[in-house]
Amino acid sequence: MERVLKQGFNIDYSYNIYFTEGIFAPHNKLLSDFFQQRRNPDFKQKVLVVVDSSVWKHHPNLNQELQDYFKDLNDVVLAGPPLVITGGEVCKNDPQALESIVQAIDEYAVDRHSYVFAIGGGAILDLVGYAAAISHRGIRHVRIPTTVLSQNDSGVGVKNSVNYKGKKNFLGTFTPPVAVFNDYSFLATLDKRSWLAGISEAIKVALIKDLDFYNWIQAQVEDLPRRDSQSMKELIYRCADLHLEHIRNGDPFELGSSRPLDFGHWSAHKLEQLSNFEVLHGEAVAIGLAIDVIYSYLIGNLTESEALSVVNLIHQLGLPVYHPILSEVEGKQQLLKGLTEFQEHLGGRLTVVLLEKLGKGRDYHHIDGDYVLQAIDILRDFEKEYNRLDEVS
Amino acid sequence: MERVLKQGFNIDYSYNIYFTEGIFAPHNKLLSDFFQQRRNPDFKQKVLVVVDSSVWKHHPNLNQELQDYFKDLNDVVLAGPPLVITGGEVCKNDPQALESIVQAIDEYAVDRHSYVFAIGGGAILDLVGYAAAISHRGIRHVRIPTTVLSQNDSGVGVKNSVNYKGKKNFLGTFTPPVAVFNDYSFLATLDKRSWLAGISEAIKVALIKDLDFYNWIQAQVEDLPRRDSQSMKELIYRCADLHLEHIRNGDPFELGSSRPLDFGHWSAHKLEQLSNFEVLHGEAVAIGLAIDVIYSYLIGNLTESEALSVVNLIHQLGLPVYHPILSEVEGKQQLLKGLTEFQEHLGGRLTVVLLEKLGKGRDYHHIDGDYVLQAIDILRDFEKEYNRLDEVS
């Protein structure tokens, strides 16, 4: 006789994304209030802090500020000295980096009622979030993104990951943080490349979801590259908001095949890898967006002038629209192979978002390799023309 | 100016637990129906099967049955040959075992729309479930538990894990399977120890939640040890049902400190480790239950005759109530250390379930080491008496 039992339950996930400056400044009560709201009367909660090496280097007072800030708190205590880890994609390729965090969690007896804080760029947030998610089946995780890219995109979302045998994000989980603190003051020490690279994700989400935001970015085309902080704060806030809204109303844990927020990303992931991660994620996304925008024009969804205006915007914001590796025979083949890997990661049918029109994305299940190569040729010529104009001026 | 964005969404988790016999028999449509309901018209879903070595050994026709069964299916295809992994706790201690599954997922391009099947005992289910949960941020996972213990307890729940530096379940996630198939026919080849060991979890859940079920087990005290399959099927079904009900109505992902289903487990985990996993999990739970039942008597919650009747039941069912390692000086110290580790794993205040009365558990936040040691002495004397009687008879 066959029998069946049905299991079913709901889990509610919620967290806040705070926008602030100087999170560890003595007068800033945001974090102390956060801890107080979540205090446990029976014991002090522990906090393990993991810091991106480049943040550690550019903020020599960070350790002192941390110690001073936590010294004044009654509800929590630092689990141990901050753990400093080399940031950038390299940390996601290095099994020892993951091991060092898990080991610290074990050594300092950081438990499920403790917190693991990650302070750094997107790669560090991904790595630390993953370590926290798998230790004790999930330790509360707080993100303090320090780059434009992580504040407006990856840091506010629900994913974490490391790479496996060079395959980006092969290992990971969907585990929302318990809070995100976007501290603008960390942006001041970013180098120019990183500052600019983060803008790509804003262009991306604007192009697929919000024409108003796209026009607003157009209007900031001079302010953003000269590091106007008001423009950047607004860009981050609006971009984060669009990402959050998309996750909330879409498919947060990606059980389906569509992943609209990955517009421009199928080629970007591959390009990062082909360049040995010398091309920053945001730069690769800029190029990936340019490819998919031209592609959207080639299949008749955009006018030539619309497509060119996007490519020009990317260029004017100081971001690349092309990389020579894409025109090498090997590079072309690898790029198209990237489509298969992109499909495998999500599974199911190939699903790539292209533009139906400016401000609106749409799923496509077939990508024509010839159009991709044609788009690359067009972008190579653009890059040549941009360089020529730069020399003239 | 400080701003805040609020993120919040719900995820619905649901899955069925099917009870059947001969899941891969040609006439058994349960699995083929399952696949058909979840088919994707655009492609065949892949299935990677991971099998416990002892199941593989005791079921020499399993591979042929699998191949034949899948050959007839239109919606799915085997990703590759079944991966056979040495079962038992040893596989959770071996990082290579985890690696071999992740590697197979990569090699056979098993994606997020594919399935990873685990066929085996609790340890294999934990390991495979973990590998599936972290690969591509979560591949659909199907459990086919083959032991009493995994069919009535661990296999129907939402946890997975591996051990880290000897610490049980240090790494893991809460990730529900997409289905569980409890195939009774696998029980026929269990050795006597494994058959009996699985009964402990039923006694456990009966003692803390369901006096009727406890009395029912009492009534099967002769049938169960002589491998009456009807009694065992009923025991598994009722025990699984109670576990599922508890997870659903409790705290599925254990965000709080309480973990009632771990009655008898704080000492069991430690005893397993102290014995180098020579004591089976279910046997350790039997001893752990005996300790906590005597403890519940010592603090005045049970009468002497109630406590003794439980200890006698455990013994009559062929399970141990004591292990000599517990009376060694080192063993005693280690056992009490287990309380701290138990607390760290959950975090927060120590929370141990004891019996308020037969059929009802209750959280306690303090455990008196002297009572624990006294309980062990009492159980040692019992074991001596049981042995004496066995010799006489």
Side-chain angles (χ1 to χ4, degrees), chain A residues 1-21 28-30 40 42-43 46 92 99 102-106 109-113 126 130-131 133-138 140 156 158-161 164-165 167 169-174 176 184 233-234 237-238 240-241 243-245 247-248 252-257 259 341 343-349, chain B residues 1-21 28-30 40 42-43 46 92 99 102-106 109-113 126 130-131 133-138 140 156 158-161 164-165 167 169-174 176 184 233-234 237-238 240-241 243-245 247-248 252-257 259 341 343-349:
Chain A
M1 189 192 59
E2 274 167 10
R3 297 209 272 187
V4 58
L5 288 169
K6 292 184 181 295
Q7 179 67 310
F9 53 85
N10 259 275
I11 302 285
D12 178 67
Y13 294 94
S14 60
Y15 58 98
N16 287 351
I17 298 85
Y18 302 95
F19 298 80
T20 188
E21 295 199 46
N28 194 328
K29 297 291 172 224
L30 200 56
N40 192 313
D42 299 319
F43 55 89
K46 290 182 191 175
K92 290 173 66 177
E99 171 67 19
V102 172
Q103 205 174 311
I105 288 170
D106 182 18
V110 172
D111 62 29
R112 225 184 263 168
H113 291 251
D126 275 355
Y130 181 58
I134 61 174
S135 297
H136 294 303
R137 298 200 185 98
R140 296 166 182 180
V156 303
V158 298
K159 302 186 204 177
N160 58 56
S161 60
Y164 172 76
K165 293 186 180 171
K167 294 200 178 175
N169 302 334
F170 190 92
L171 297 175
T173 71
F174 292 97
Y184 294 130
K233 286 182 197 176
E234 189 62 19
Y237 182 84
R238 290 181 72 166
D241 196 14
H243 276 89
L244 290 164
E245 183 271 330
I247 293 169
R248 184 167 58 240
F253 290 178
E254 295 177 6
L255 301 172
S257 289
R259 202 154 73 163
E341 284 173 22
Q343 174 183 4
E344 271 174 23
H345 189 59
L346 270 73
R349 246 171 125 184
Chain B
M1 187 194 58
E2 274 166 10
R3 298 209 272 188
V4 58
L5 287 169
K6 291 183 181 296
Q7 178 67 310
F9 53 85
N10 259 276
I11 302 285
D12 178 65
Y13 294 95
S14 59
Y15 58 99
N16 287 351
I17 298 86
Y18 302 95
F19 298 81
T20 188
E21 295 199 46
N28 194 328
K29 297 291 171 226
L30 200 56
N40 192 311
D42 299 319
F43 55 89
K46 289 182 191 174
K92 289 173 66 179
E99 171 68 18
V102 172
Q103 205 174 311
I105 289 171
D106 181 19
V110 172
D111 62 31
R112 224 184 264 169
H113 291 251
D126 275 356
Y130 181 59
I134 61 175
S135 296
H136 293 302
R137 297 199 185 99
R140 297 167 181 179
V156 304
V158 298
K159 301 186 204 178
N160 58 56
S161 60
Y164 173 76
K165 293 186 181 172
K167 293 201 178 176
N169 301 335
F170 190 93
L171 297 175
T173 71
F174 291 97
Y184 294 129
K233 287 182 196 177
E234 189 62 19
Y237 182 85
R238 290 182 71 168
D241 196 15
H243 276 90
L244 290 164
E245 183 271 332
I247 293 169
R248 184 166 59 240
F253 291 178
E254 295 177 9
L255 301 171
S257 290
R259 202 155 70 163
E341 284 173 22
Q343 175 184 3
E344 270 174 22
H345 189 60
L346 269 72
R349 248 171 124 184

Side-chain angles (χ1 to χ4, degrees), chain B residues 19 126 139 141 143 193 274 289 311 329 357:
Chain B
F19 298 81
D126 275 356
I139 296 174
H141 171 227
R143 299 202 189 125
R193 267 182 82 188
L274 288 174
L289 291 175
V311 175
V329 177
K357 58 181 184 182

Side-chain angles (χ1 to χ4, degrees), chain B residues 58-98:
Chain B
H58 288 106
H59 298 267
N61 298 327
L62 180 61
N63 193 23
Q64 193 58 52
E65 285 169 23
L66 264 173
Q67 304 295 337
D68 291 346
Y69 195 90
F70 278 85
K71 207 179 57 207
D72 289 342
L73 300 180
N74 295 316
D75 308 311
V76 292
V77 61
L78 287 172
L83 185 63
V84 181
I85 293 197
T86 304
E89 198 66 25
V90 61
C91 74
K92 289 173 66 179
N93 284 320
D94 176 13
Q96 275 310 311
L98 176 64

Side-chain angles (χ1 to χ4, degrees), chain B residues 206-251:
Chain B
L207 281 172
I208 55 170
K209 295 184 92 80
D210 189 340
L211 186 57
D212 277 353
F213 185 38
Y214 178 74
N215 291 332
W216 180 89
I217 298 174
Q218 281 274 16
Q220 319 299 313
V221 71
E222 291 184 357
D223 285 344
L224 284 169
R226 63 176 169 82
R227 303 189 75 139
D228 176 75
S229 70
Q230 272 319 108
S231 301
M232 187 54 101
K233 287 182 196 177
E234 189 62 19
L235 177 135
I236 288 172
Y237 182 85
R238 290 182 71 168
C239 183
D241 196 15
L242 283 167
H243 276 90
L244 290 164
E245 183 271 332
H246 176 80
I247 293 169
R248 184 166 59 240
N249 298 322
D251 175 16

